[in-house]
Amino acid sequence: AITVQFRLPNGSRHRRRFLKSQKIKILFDFVQSVDSSLENFDIQVQTNSLIDNQDDNIEHHNLKNASLIVISI
């Protein structure tokens, strides 16, 4: 498992553990569960967008202990 921290547009931070084998989509589902007011958003690691990679495994993107930024689009 890996721990990922999310920084949401409202400034809040949320941490959660995920299995490396899970899909990137689970990250988007988690963000939606903590802030249902976000309708259109992207998740970025450094400057790379994850929105088009939701079917990839978390491990594929090397997100171990990553800090991800959630942006409204």
Side-chain angles (χ1 to χ4, degrees), residues 1-6 14-31 58 68:
I2 62 166
T3 301
V4 177
Q5 176 176 278
F6 299 84
H14 301 272
R15 293 178 65 168
R16 183 175 160 196
R17 294 176 60 82
F18 297 93
L19 297 175
K20 294 177 189 178
S21 60
Q22 289 180 292
K23 303 287 185 190
I24 294 290
K25 182 172 181 351
I26 195 113
L27 304 178
F28 285 83
D29 293 342
F30 173 73
V31 169
I58 291 172
L68 305 178

Side-chain angles (χ1 to χ4, degrees), residues 6-66:
F6 299 84
R7 188 173 65 193
L8 276 57
N10 65 9
S12 66
R13 293 176 187 255
H14 301 272
R15 293 178 65 168
R16 183 175 160 196
R17 294 176 60 82
F18 297 93
L19 297 175
K20 294 177 189 178
S21 60
Q22 289 180 292
K23 303 287 185 190
I24 294 290
K25 182 172 181 351
I26 195 113
L27 304 178
F28 285 83
D29 293 342
F30 173 73
V31 169
Q32 189 70 49
S33 76
V34 296
D35 188 348
S36 60
S37 69
L38 286 171
E39 292 182 19
N40 295 316
F41 64 93
D42 190 9
I43 299 175
Q44 294 185 338
V45 56
Q46 298 175 3
T47 58
N48 299 320
S49 171
L50 295 177
I51 199 164
D52 294 328
N53 301 299
Q54 294 185 46
D55 290 328
D56 293 348
N57 289 341
I58 291 172
E59 183 175 37
H60 178 78
H61 289 274
N62 195 25
L63 300 179
K64 184 177 182 180
N65 299 320

